[in-house]
Coordinates of all heavy atoms in Angstrom, one line a residue:
A425 N -35.8 21.3 6.4 CA -35.9 22.7 6.1 C -36.0 22.9 4.6 O -35.4 22.2 3.8 CB -34.7 23.5 6.7
H426 N -36.8 23.9 4.2 CA -37.0 24.1 2.8 C -37.1 25.6 2.6 O -37.3 26.4 3.5 CB -38.3 23.5 2.3 CG -39.5 23.9 3.0 ND1 -40.2 25.1 2.7 CD2 -40.2 23.4 4.1 CE1 -41.2 25.3 3.6 NE2 -41.2 24.2 4.4
K427 N -36.9 26.0 1.3 CA -36.9 27.4 1.0 C -38.3 27.8 0.6 O -39.2 27.0 0.5 CB -36.0 27.7 -0.2 CG -34.5 27.3 0.0 CD -33.7 27.6 -1.2 CE -32.2 27.3 -0.9 NZ -31.4 27.5 -2.1
S428 N -38.5 29.1 0.6 CA -39.9 29.7 0.3 C -40.3 29.4 -1.2 O -41.5 29.4 -1.5 CB -39.9 31.2 0.6 OG -39.6 31.4 2.0
I429 N -39.3 29.3 -2.1 CA -39.6 29.1 -3.5 C -39.0 27.8 -3.9 O -37.8 27.6 -3.7 CB -39.1 30.3 -4.3 CG1 -39.7 31.6 -3.9 CG2 -39.3 30.0 -5.8 CD1 -39.2 32.8 -4.6
V430 N -39.8 26.9 -4.5 CA -39.3 25.6 -5.0 C -39.7 25.4 -6.4 O -40.6 26.1 -6.9 CB -39.8 24.5 -4.1 CG1 -39.3 24.6 -2.7 CG2 -41.4 24.5 -4.1
S431 N -39.1 24.5 -7.1 CA -39.4 24.1 -8.4 C -40.1 22.8 -8.4 O -40.2 22.1 -7.3 CB -38.2 24.1 -9.3 OG -37.3 23.0 -8.8
F432 N -40.6 22.3 -9.5 CA -41.3 21.1 -9.6 C -40.3 19.9 -9.2 O -40.8 18.8 -8.8 CB -41.9 20.8 -11.0 CG -42.6 19.5 -11.1 CD1 -43.8 19.3 -10.5 CD2 -42.0 18.5 -11.8 CE1 -44.5 18.1 -10.6 CE2 -42.7 17.3 -11.9 CZ -43.9 17.1 -11.3
K433 N -39.0 20.1 -9.4 CA -38.1 19.1 -9.0 C -38.2 18.7 -7.6 O -38.1 17.5 -7.2 CB -36.7 19.6 -9.4 CG -35.6 18.5 -9.1 CD -34.2 19.0 -9.5 CE -33.1 18.0 -9.3 NZ -31.8 18.5 -9.7
Q434 N -38.4 19.7 -6.7 CA -38.5 19.5 -5.3 C -39.9 18.9 -5.0 O -40.1 18.2 -4.0 CB -38.3 20.7 -4.5 CG -36.9 21.2 -4.3 CD -36.3 21.9 -5.5 OE1 -37.1 22.6 -6.2 NE2 -35.1 21.7 -5.9
L435 N -40.9 19.2 -5.8 CA -42.3 18.7 -5.5 C -42.5 17.4 -6.2 O -43.6 16.8 -5.9 CB -43.3 19.7 -6.0 CG -43.2 21.1 -5.4 CD1 -44.2 22.0 -6.1 CD2 -43.4 21.1 -3.9
R436 N -41.7 16.9 -7.1 CA -41.9 15.8 -7.9 C -42.3 14.5 -7.1 O -43.2 13.8 -7.3 CB -40.7 15.5 -8.8 CG -40.9 14.3 -9.7 CD -39.8 14.2 -10.7 NE -40.0 13.0 -11.6 CZ -39.3 12.8 -12.7 NH1 -38.5 13.8 -13.1 NH2 -39.5 11.7 -13.4
E437 N -41.4 14.2 -6.0 CA -41.7 13.1 -5.2 C -42.9 13.2 -4.4 O -43.6 12.2 -4.2 CB -40.4 12.8 -4.3 CG -39.2 12.4 -5.1 CD -39.4 11.1 -5.9 OE1 -40.1 10.2 -5.4 OE2 -38.9 11.0 -7.0
D438 N -43.2 14.4 -3.9 CA -44.5 14.6 -3.2 C -45.7 14.3 -4.1 O -46.7 13.7 -3.6 CB -44.6 16.0 -2.6 CG -43.6 16.2 -1.5 OD1 -43.3 15.2 -0.8 OD2 -43.1 17.4 -1.3
V439 N -45.7 14.8 -5.3 CA -46.8 14.5 -6.2 C -46.9 13.0 -6.5 O -48.0 12.5 -6.5 CB -46.6 15.3 -7.5 CG1 -47.6 15.0 -8.5 CG2 -46.6 16.8 -7.2
Y440 N -45.8 12.4 -6.7 CA -45.9 10.9 -7.0 C -46.4 10.2 -5.7 O -47.2 9.2 -5.9 CB -44.5 10.4 -7.3 CG -44.4 8.9 -7.5 CD1 -44.9 8.3 -8.6 CD2 -44.0 8.1 -6.4 CE1 -44.9 6.9 -8.8 CE2 -44.0 6.7 -6.6 CZ -44.4 6.1 -7.8 OH -44.4 4.7 -7.9
G441 N -46.0 10.6 -4.5 CA -46.5 10.0 -3.3 C -48.0 10.1 -3.2 O -48.7 9.2 -2.8
E442 N -48.6 11.2 -3.6 CA -50.0 11.4 -3.5 C -50.8 10.6 -4.5 O -51.8 10.0 -4.3 CB -50.4 12.9 -3.7 CG -50.0 13.8 -2.5 CD -50.9 15.0 -2.3 OE1 -51.8 15.1 -3.1 OE2 -50.6 15.8 -1.4
L443 N -50.1 10.4 -5.7 CA -50.8 9.6 -6.8 C -50.7 8.1 -6.4 O -51.6 7.3 -6.7 CB -50.1 9.9 -8.1 CG -50.3 11.3 -8.7 CD1 -49.4 11.4 -9.9 CD2 -51.7 11.5 -9.0
A444 N -49.6 7.7 -5.8 CA -49.4 6.3 -5.5 C -50.1 5.8 -4.2 O -50.3 4.6 -4.0 CB -47.9 6.0 -5.3
N445 N -50.5 6.8 -3.4 CA -51.2 6.5 -2.1 C -52.5 7.2 -2.0 O -52.7 8.1 -1.1 CB -50.3 6.8 -0.9 CG -49.0 6.0 -1.0 OD1 -48.8 4.9 -0.6 ND2 -47.9 6.7 -1.5
V446 N -53.4 7.0 -2.9 CA -54.6 7.7 -3.0 C -55.5 7.6 -1.7 O -56.0 8.6 -1.2 CB -55.5 7.3 -4.2 CG1 -56.8 8.0 -4.3 CG2 -54.7 7.5 -5.5
E447 N -55.6 6.4 -1.2 CA -56.4 6.2 0.0 C -55.8 6.8 1.2 O -56.6 7.4 2.0 CB -56.6 4.7 0.2 CG -57.4 4.0 -0.9 CD -57.7 2.5 -0.6 OE1 -57.2 2.1 0.5 OE2 -58.4 1.8 -1.3
Q448 N -54.5 6.8 1.4 CA -53.9 7.4 2.5 C -53.9 8.9 2.4 O -54.1 9.6 3.5 CB -52.4 6.9 2.6 CG -52.3 5.4 2.9 CD -50.9 5.0 3.0 OE1 -50.0 5.8 3.3 NE2 -50.6 3.7 2.8
V449 N -53.8 9.4 1.2 CA -53.8 10.9 1.1 C -55.3 11.4 1.4 O -55.4 12.5 1.9 CB -53.4 11.3 -0.4 CG1 -53.7 12.8 -0.6 CG2 -52.0 11.0 -0.6
A450 N -56.3 10.6 1.1 CA -57.7 11.0 1.4 C -57.9 11.2 2.9 O -58.9 11.9 3.2 CB -58.6 10.0 0.8
G451 N -57.1 10.7 3.7 CA -57.2 10.9 5.2 C -57.8 9.7 5.9 O -58.0 8.6 5.4
I452 N -58.1 10.0 7.2 CA -58.6 8.9 8.1 C -60.1 8.8 7.8 O -60.9 9.7 7.8 CB -58.3 9.3 9.5 CG1 -56.8 9.4 9.8 CG2 -59.0 8.3 10.5 CD1 -56.5 9.9 11.1
Q453 N -60.6 7.5 7.7 CA -62.0 7.2 7.4 C -62.8 7.2 8.7 O -62.3 6.8 9.7 CB -62.1 5.9 6.7 CG -61.2 5.8 5.4 CD -61.8 6.5 4.3 OE1 -62.9 6.2 3.9 NE2 -61.1 7.5 3.8
W454 N -64.0 7.7 8.6 CA -64.9 7.6 9.7 C -65.5 6.2 9.8 O -65.9 5.6 8.7 CB -66.1 8.6 9.6 CG -65.7 10.0 9.8 CD1 -65.6 10.6 11.1 CD2 -65.3 11.0 8.9 NE1 -65.2 11.9 10.9 CE2 -65.0 12.2 9.6 CE3 -65.2 11.0 7.5 CZ2 -64.6 13.3 9.0 CZ3 -64.8 12.1 6.9 CH2 -64.5 13.3 7.6
S455 N -65.6 5.6 10.9 CA -66.1 4.2 11.1 C -67.6 4.3 11.3 O -68.4 3.3 11.0 CB -65.5 3.5 12.3 OG -65.7 4.2 13.5
R456 N -68.2 5.4 11.8 CA -69.6 5.5 12.1 C -70.4 6.2 10.9 O -71.6 6.2 10.9 CB -69.8 6.3 13.4 CG -69.2 5.7 14.6 CD -69.7 6.4 15.9 NE -69.2 5.8 17.1 CZ -69.7 6.0 18.3 NH1 -70.7 6.9 18.4 NH2 -69.2 5.4 19.4
F457 N -69.7 6.8 10.0 CA -70.3 7.6 8.9 C -69.8 7.2 7.6 O -69.0 7.9 7.0 CB -70.2 9.1 9.2 CG -70.8 9.6 10.4 CD1 -70.0 9.8 11.6 CD2 -72.1 9.9 10.6 CE1 -70.5 10.2 12.8 CE2 -72.7 10.3 11.7 CZ -71.9 10.5 12.9
P458 N -70.1 6.0 7.1 CA -69.5 5.6 5.8 C -70.0 6.4 4.6 O -69.2 6.6 3.7 CB -70.1 4.1 5.7 CG -71.3 4.1 6.6 CD -71.0 5.0 7.7
E459 N -71.2 7.0 4.7 CA -71.6 7.9 3.6 C -70.8 9.2 3.5 O -70.5 9.7 2.4 CB -73.1 8.3 3.8 CG -74.1 7.1 3.5 CD -74.0 6.7 2.1 OE1 -73.8 7.6 1.2 OE2 -74.2 5.5 1.8

Side-chain angles (χ1 to χ4, degrees):
H426 58 82
K427 298 179 181 179
S428 299
I429 301 177
V430 296
S431 64
F432 180 73
K433 183 178 181 180
Q434 284 81 36
L435 302 176
R436 178 170 179 166
E437 292 300 323
D438 289 331
V439 174
Y440 176 79
E442 293 209 359
L443 294 174
N445 303 278
V446 177
E447 293 184 358
Q448 296 181 21
V449 172
I452 299 176
Q453 304 286 298
W454 286 276
S455 60
R456 298 191 179 194
F457 300 96
E459 286 297 327

